[in-house]
mmCIF file of all heavy atoms in Angstrom:
data_model
loop_
_atom_site.group_PDB
_atom_site.id
_atom_site.type_symbol
_atom_site.label_atom_id
_atom_site.label_comp_id
_atom_site.label_asym_id
_atom_site.label_seq_id
_atom_site.Cartn_x
_atom_site.Cartn_y
_atom_site.Cartn_z
ATOM 1 N N VAL A 153 18.060 89.836 129.888
ATOM 2 C CA VAL A 153 19.003 90.008 128.781
ATOM 3 C C VAL A 153 20.403 90.327 129.231
ATOM 4 O O VAL A 153 21.423 89.860 128.705
ATOM 5 C CB VAL A 153 18.471 91.040 127.824
ATOM 6 C CG1 VAL A 153 19.431 91.336 126.765
ATOM 7 C CG2 VAL A 153 17.122 90.543 127.090
ATOM 8 N N VAL A 154 20.472 91.222 130.235
ATOM 9 C CA VAL A 154 21.695 91.640 130.858
ATOM 10 C C VAL A 154 22.405 90.459 131.339
ATOM 11 O O VAL A 154 23.636 90.106 131.155
ATOM 12 C CB VAL A 154 21.566 92.677 131.851
ATOM 13 C CG1 VAL A 154 22.938 93.059 132.467
ATOM 14 C CG2 VAL A 154 20.919 93.885 131.264
ATOM 15 N N ASN A 155 21.646 89.518 132.202
ATOM 16 C CA ASN A 155 22.121 88.418 132.765
ATOM 17 C C ASN A 155 22.704 87.432 131.652
ATOM 18 O O ASN A 155 23.804 86.785 131.790
ATOM 19 C CB ASN A 155 20.979 87.664 133.506
ATOM 20 C CG ASN A 155 21.575 86.525 134.489
ATOM 21 O OD1 ASN A 155 22.718 86.457 134.673
ATOM 22 N ND2 ASN A 155 20.668 85.786 134.998
ATOM 23 N N ALA A 156 21.914 87.305 130.532
ATOM 24 C CA ALA A 156 22.349 86.352 129.426
ATOM 25 C C ALA A 156 23.629 86.822 128.855
ATOM 26 O O ALA A 156 24.379 85.987 128.366
ATOM 27 C CB ALA A 156 21.204 86.294 128.401
ATOM 28 N N LEU A 157 23.930 88.161 128.755
ATOM 29 C CA LEU A 157 25.127 88.647 128.216
ATOM 30 C C LEU A 157 26.256 88.848 129.140
ATOM 31 O O LEU A 157 27.248 89.572 128.882
ATOM 32 C CB LEU A 157 24.839 89.876 127.371
ATOM 33 C CG LEU A 157 23.739 89.637 126.324
ATOM 34 C CD1 LEU A 157 23.425 90.997 125.665
ATOM 35 C CD2 LEU A 157 24.079 88.627 125.298
ATOM 36 N N SER A 158 26.206 88.285 130.359
ATOM 37 C CA SER A 158 27.229 88.485 131.432
ATOM 38 C C SER A 158 27.928 87.185 131.726
ATOM 39 O O SER A 158 27.356 86.098 131.703
ATOM 40 C CB SER A 158 26.585 89.017 132.671
ATOM 41 O OG SER A 158 26.009 90.265 132.515
ATOM 42 N N VAL A 159 29.289 87.299 132.126
ATOM 43 C CA VAL A 159 29.909 86.156 132.566
ATOM 44 C C VAL A 159 29.386 85.663 133.883
ATOM 45 O O VAL A 159 29.344 84.479 134.196
ATOM 46 C CB VAL A 159 31.507 86.311 132.657
ATOM 47 C CG1 VAL A 159 32.257 85.372 131.864
ATOM 48 C CG2 VAL A 159 31.875 87.705 132.571
ATOM 49 N N TRP A 160 29.045 86.583 134.714
ATOM 50 C CA TRP A 160 28.444 86.339 135.980
ATOM 51 C C TRP A 160 27.550 87.544 136.418
ATOM 52 O O TRP A 160 27.720 88.625 136.066
ATOM 53 C CB TRP A 160 29.356 85.906 137.106
ATOM 54 C CG TRP A 160 30.506 86.875 137.399
ATOM 55 C CD1 TRP A 160 31.819 86.737 137.003
ATOM 56 C CD2 TRP A 160 30.496 88.066 138.101
ATOM 57 N NE1 TRP A 160 32.660 87.723 137.367
ATOM 58 C CE2 TRP A 160 31.765 88.614 138.047
ATOM 59 C CE3 TRP A 160 29.462 88.838 138.721
ATOM 60 C CZ2 TRP A 160 32.120 89.911 138.634
ATOM 61 C CZ3 TRP A 160 29.834 90.049 139.359
ATOM 62 C CH2 TRP A 160 31.072 90.557 139.228
ATOM 63 N N MET A 161 26.583 87.119 137.161
ATOM 64 C CA MET A 161 25.636 88.193 137.763
ATOM 65 C C MET A 161 25.295 87.837 139.179
ATOM 66 O O MET A 161 24.969 86.559 139.422
ATOM 67 C CB MET A 161 24.431 88.407 136.955
ATOM 68 C CG MET A 161 23.461 89.388 137.591
ATOM 69 S SD MET A 161 21.905 89.491 136.744
ATOM 70 C CE MET A 161 22.262 90.872 135.512
ATOM 71 N N GLU A 162 25.388 88.665 140.100
ATOM 72 C CA GLU A 162 24.993 88.333 141.475
ATOM 73 C C GLU A 162 23.851 89.279 142.002
ATOM 74 O O GLU A 162 24.008 90.558 141.814
ATOM 75 C CB GLU A 162 26.179 88.497 142.414
ATOM 76 C CG GLU A 162 27.202 87.374 142.186
ATOM 77 C CD GLU A 162 28.468 87.399 143.078
ATOM 78 O OE1 GLU A 162 28.657 88.534 143.752
ATOM 79 O OE2 GLU A 162 29.176 86.411 143.137
ATOM 80 N N VAL A 163 22.794 88.770 142.460
ATOM 81 C CA VAL A 163 21.725 89.529 142.903
ATOM 82 C C VAL A 163 21.539 89.343 144.449
ATOM 83 O O VAL A 163 21.432 88.216 144.880
ATOM 84 C CB VAL A 163 20.349 89.163 142.153
ATOM 85 C CG1 VAL A 163 19.221 90.066 142.636
ATOM 86 C CG2 VAL A 163 20.546 89.282 140.674
ATOM 87 N N THR A 164 21.461 90.484 145.193
ATOM 88 C CA THR A 164 21.170 90.420 146.605
ATOM 89 C C THR A 164 19.960 91.254 146.829
ATOM 90 O O THR A 164 19.953 92.388 146.393
ATOM 91 C CB THR A 164 22.457 91.002 147.343
ATOM 92 O OG1 THR A 164 23.705 90.447 146.814
ATOM 93 C CG2 THR A 164 22.314 90.695 148.858
ATOM 94 N N VAL A 165 19.063 90.719 147.644
ATOM 95 C CA VAL A 165 17.763 91.395 147.950
ATOM 96 C C VAL A 165 17.678 91.456 149.478
ATOM 97 O O VAL A 165 17.831 90.396 150.146
ATOM 98 C CB VAL A 165 16.629 90.728 147.271
ATOM 99 C CG1 VAL A 165 15.308 91.304 147.800
ATOM 100 C CG2 VAL A 165 16.715 90.743 145.792
ATOM 101 N N CYS A 166 17.410 92.716 149.971
ATOM 102 C CA CYS A 166 17.099 92.765 151.393
ATOM 103 C C CYS A 166 15.629 93.194 151.557
ATOM 104 O O CYS A 166 15.193 94.170 151.022
ATOM 105 C CB CYS A 166 17.885 93.856 152.101
ATOM 106 S SG CYS A 166 19.666 93.358 152.250
ATOM 107 N N ARG A 167 14.780 92.140 152.142
ATOM 108 C CA ARG A 167 13.390 92.614 152.211
ATOM 109 C C ARG A 167 12.818 91.603 153.272
ATOM 110 O O ARG A 167 13.322 90.503 153.626
ATOM 111 C CB ARG A 167 12.594 92.544 151.095
ATOM 112 C CG ARG A 167 12.484 91.213 150.299
ATOM 113 C CD ARG A 167 11.567 91.304 149.108
ATOM 114 N NE ARG A 167 10.145 91.472 149.521
ATOM 115 C CZ ARG A 167 9.274 91.984 148.714
ATOM 116 N NH1 ARG A 167 9.485 92.452 147.480
ATOM 117 N NH2 ARG A 167 7.984 92.089 149.170
ATOM 118 N N ASP A 168 11.713 91.918 153.865
ATOM 119 C CA ASP A 168 10.991 90.976 154.777
ATOM 120 C C ASP A 168 11.902 90.565 155.933
ATOM 121 O O ASP A 168 11.730 89.349 156.359
ATOM 122 C CB ASP A 168 10.315 89.810 154.058
ATOM 123 C CG ASP A 168 9.520 90.223 152.824
ATOM 124 O OD1 ASP A 168 9.045 91.438 152.862
ATOM 125 O OD2 ASP A 168 9.365 89.393 151.829
ATOM 126 N N GLY A 169 12.809 91.305 156.343
ATOM 127 C CA GLY A 169 13.704 90.913 157.392
ATOM 128 C C GLY A 169 14.877 89.987 157.078
ATOM 129 O O GLY A 169 15.700 89.598 157.855
ATOM 130 N N GLY A 170 14.916 89.563 155.773
ATOM 131 C CA GLY A 170 15.968 88.628 155.355
ATOM 132 C C GLY A 170 16.834 89.226 154.339
ATOM 133 O O GLY A 170 16.629 90.299 153.638
ATOM 134 N N LYS A 171 18.078 88.544 154.126
ATOM 135 C CA LYS A 171 18.942 88.935 153.056
ATOM 136 C C LYS A 171 19.063 87.736 152.196
ATOM 137 O O LYS A 171 19.397 86.650 152.627
ATOM 138 C CB LYS A 171 20.332 89.220 153.654
ATOM 139 C CG LYS A 171 21.312 89.939 152.684
ATOM 140 C CD LYS A 171 22.482 90.348 153.493
ATOM 141 C CE LYS A 171 23.434 91.087 152.604
ATOM 142 N NZ LYS A 171 24.712 91.511 153.353
ATOM 143 N N PHE A 172 18.841 87.961 150.856
ATOM 144 C CA PHE A 172 18.766 86.762 149.929
ATOM 145 C C PHE A 172 19.759 87.049 148.928
ATOM 146 O O PHE A 172 20.049 88.198 148.399
ATOM 147 C CB PHE A 172 17.290 86.718 149.418
ATOM 148 C CG PHE A 172 16.248 86.645 150.371
ATOM 149 C CD1 PHE A 172 15.662 87.733 150.955
ATOM 150 C CD2 PHE A 172 15.720 85.419 150.772
ATOM 151 C CE1 PHE A 172 14.760 87.750 151.899
ATOM 152 C CE2 PHE A 172 14.838 85.216 151.730
ATOM 153 C CZ PHE A 172 14.205 86.407 152.325
ATOM 154 N N PHE A 173 20.242 85.863 148.347
ATOM 155 C CA PHE A 173 21.370 85.966 147.397
ATOM 156 C C PHE A 173 21.238 84.838 146.273
ATOM 157 O O PHE A 173 20.814 83.748 146.649
ATOM 158 C CB PHE A 173 22.719 85.783 148.003
ATOM 159 C CG PHE A 173 23.850 85.804 147.159
ATOM 160 C CD1 PHE A 173 24.468 86.900 146.650
ATOM 161 C CD2 PHE A 173 24.444 84.529 146.750
ATOM 162 C CE1 PHE A 173 25.578 86.969 145.938
ATOM 163 C CE2 PHE A 173 25.492 84.628 145.915
ATOM 164 C CZ PHE A 173 26.035 85.708 145.498
ATOM 165 N N LEU A 174 21.587 85.242 145.086
ATOM 166 C CA LEU A 174 21.545 84.233 144.008
ATOM 167 C C LEU A 174 22.679 84.705 143.036
ATOM 168 O O LEU A 174 22.713 85.817 142.537
ATOM 169 C CB LEU A 174 20.214 84.134 143.320
ATOM 170 C CG LEU A 174 20.088 83.191 142.171
ATOM 171 C CD1 LEU A 174 20.528 81.753 142.539
ATOM 172 C CD2 LEU A 174 18.706 83.044 141.527
#
Side-chain angles (χ1 to χ4, degrees):
V153 168
V154 180
N155 196 9
L157 301 178
S158 296
V159 240
W160 51 258
M161 176 186 269
E162 292 179 345
V163 180
T164 311
V165 171
C166 290
R167 64 175 288 157
D168 309 333
K171 188 175 187 180
F172 304 85
F173 177 82
L174 180 56

